[in-house]
Amino acid sequence: MHKNNKDNVPWWQSAVFYQIYPKSFQDSNHDGIGDIKGIISRLPYLHQLGIDAIWLSPIYSSPNVDNGYDIDNYYEILAEFGTMKDVEQLIAKAKTFGIQIIMDLVVNHTSDQHPWFLEAEKGNKKYQDYYVWQKEPPNDLQSFFGGTAWAFNEKQNRYYLHLFSKNQPDLNWENPNMREDIWKMMRFWIDKGIGGFRLDVIDLIGKQPEKEILGDGPNLHIYLQEMYHEALKEKDLVTIGETGSVTPETAPLYTAPERNELSMVFQFQHMALDEQTGRSKWALKKLSIPELKKVLSKWQTALPENAWNSLFWSNHDQPRILSRWGDENYSLESGKMLAILLHLMRGTPFIYQGEEIGMTNFPIHSAKQIQDIESQNFYQDQQKAGIAKEKILESINTKGRDNARTPMQWDDTIFGGFSPVSPWYPINPNHKQINVAANLKNPDSLFYTYQKLILLRKKNPIIIWGSYELLNTAPTIFAYKRSYKQETWLVCANFSDQETFYSFSGKPETTIISNYNVTYSSIDNLNLRPYETFVVKLKP
């Protein structure tokens, strides 16, 4: 792994990443769909924000059944996004701003239009073994998108496994020829000069479906170590594993440097706090601040030294953080609070496009507005089960993936500066108030809080390396200490729309950042205003 000379640490441990959903970021050719040239045109903005790397959601050739996560050619770019030349230009141009491009690697499954699957259907023995087939479904394994995970293929007169849509057949990772084709493809992209990969649902590749083992299968880490040796070894790259089944105890299996697997993991325990345990993600329950404190703190303290965490509030699969944990009556204060709370923790932060300007979910009112296949399937299943439309839409508006996929809000013009024509998905009407131009004009905006947090991380090793201690407080106060060498910082947030009392015996030396533009000379008797949040360096 590449070491940063000054501190002898990998570059990605002090970096801040920004996720782009290409379809919704910037349209450059006036077809209502975001594209690569659009991203290139916005690099100065991202440089101004201060990020170090862009994670690009898939841009490969795809029938787009699952918005690009169903790939039919890993070596070609989806025409609506542009060409390979555009991607090469993006990689090169981003580097001039000190920004790395991270590709989304989707290798648990392909599209059913991928040449491998088309060959398998024709009876080509080599490629049949690239997928998982059964004469009869061996069990009632369910797809994550609803319904059975076994689909009948008439040409083959047997069933294949699909843990996602039936157009996304799962790859058979037990096949060494298939794995060699994956390594070859990864080397192709590495040779293009990318900074690494985000590995989609990578904890599923060791699955043993006939035994109903999905995440953390017995050969998972063997495959990841082979991936490292065949494609990643001695390269200056970051690998981020999307690992829904990971725990603080199993995280080092993925990230301990001596194991030669991945750089860091995405875990989702804080994302499931509004889901009823043991039920689908759509079965809602009320969010609890004490539960959030517990989960985030567990990942700060229970994670061993040789494991590295990622920090995120939102992504293309999750609703927007402000609509979830924020408060629309205090959108600026709660937005800044959420940013400060997360960015002062240990781990590598990921900002999802628009999060830095306060974008929110766009509520839908009819089934016609649903674009995402997961939500469409859920709507149909619930309708068949006789559930009221209002109830179904409540779940979709709370947890659906379309929420985060509306076009980026650049300015207050009719289509938000995303495109001069009507976009592929409607822009949120609140773009009139919430947009990049308005944020950049206002020195007190959310954008400048994110910019400052990124700068703080670059300049203060305590944020990267400091220990973490959750403080015992009122249920709605989220307060923790970070300590490193002879330095201690206190982070305190009033996670509430009510004034709340807080007292701390330490003495502040300096105020690092706050969301009410206050300097804190004393913290032993405070009546914190709604969502009031501050970070102070304590006197030794």
Side-chain angles (χ1 to χ4, degrees), residues 21 24 67 316-317 352 372 401-407 424-425:
Y21 195 67
S24 294
N67 263 334
H316 66 291
D317 281 337
Y352 179 63
D372 178 44
R401 302 193 302 178
D402 287 323
N403 282 315
R405 297 177 178 183
T406 58
W424 73 278
Y425 196 81

Side-chain angles (χ1 to χ4, degrees), residues 20-29 31-40 56-64 66-71 76-90 103 353 418 424:
I20 287 180
Y21 195 67
K23 200 170 181 179
S24 294
F25 195 61
Q26 180 67 65
D27 168 22
S28 75
N29 63 348
D31 62 356
I33 295 166
D35 46 50
I36 308 296
K37 283 185 171 158
I39 297 169
I40 294 170
L56 273 187
S57 282
I59 52 170
Y60 316 94
S61 176
S62 166
N64 256 339
D66 184 22
N67 263 334
Y69 283 86
D70 48 322
I71 296 166
E76 278 183 18
I77 303 305
L78 184 61
E80 64 188 27
F81 289 155
T83 64
M84 188 62 85
K85 213 173 167 132
D86 296 335
V87 177
E88 287 162 358
Q89 195 192 345
L90 171 64
M103 294 295 286
Q353 64 179 50
F418 165 73
W424 73 278

Side-chain angles (χ1 to χ4, degrees), residues 65-66 69-70 108-112 117 130-134 137-153 158-172 201 204 207 209 214 373 377:
V65 170
D66 184 22
Y69 283 86
D70 48 322
N108 172 71
H109 47 266
T110 67
S111 162
D112 60 355
F117 194 77
Y130 276 36
Y131 297 91
V132 181
W133 298 90
Q134 295 281 351
N139 47 40
D140 57 3
L141 206 56
Q142 295 294 292
S143 148
F144 292 112
F145 288 172
T148 174
W150 299 101
F152 185 67
N153 183 278
R158 42 185 195 150
Y159 293 81
Y160 63 88
L161 177 74
H162 63 94
L163 291 178
F164 295 90
S165 102
K166 68 178 191 317
N167 306 101
Q168 291 167 292
D170 273 59
L171 287 167
N172 171 22
V201 297
L204 299 179
K207 69 184 94 62
L214 298 182
I373 184 168
N377 290 352

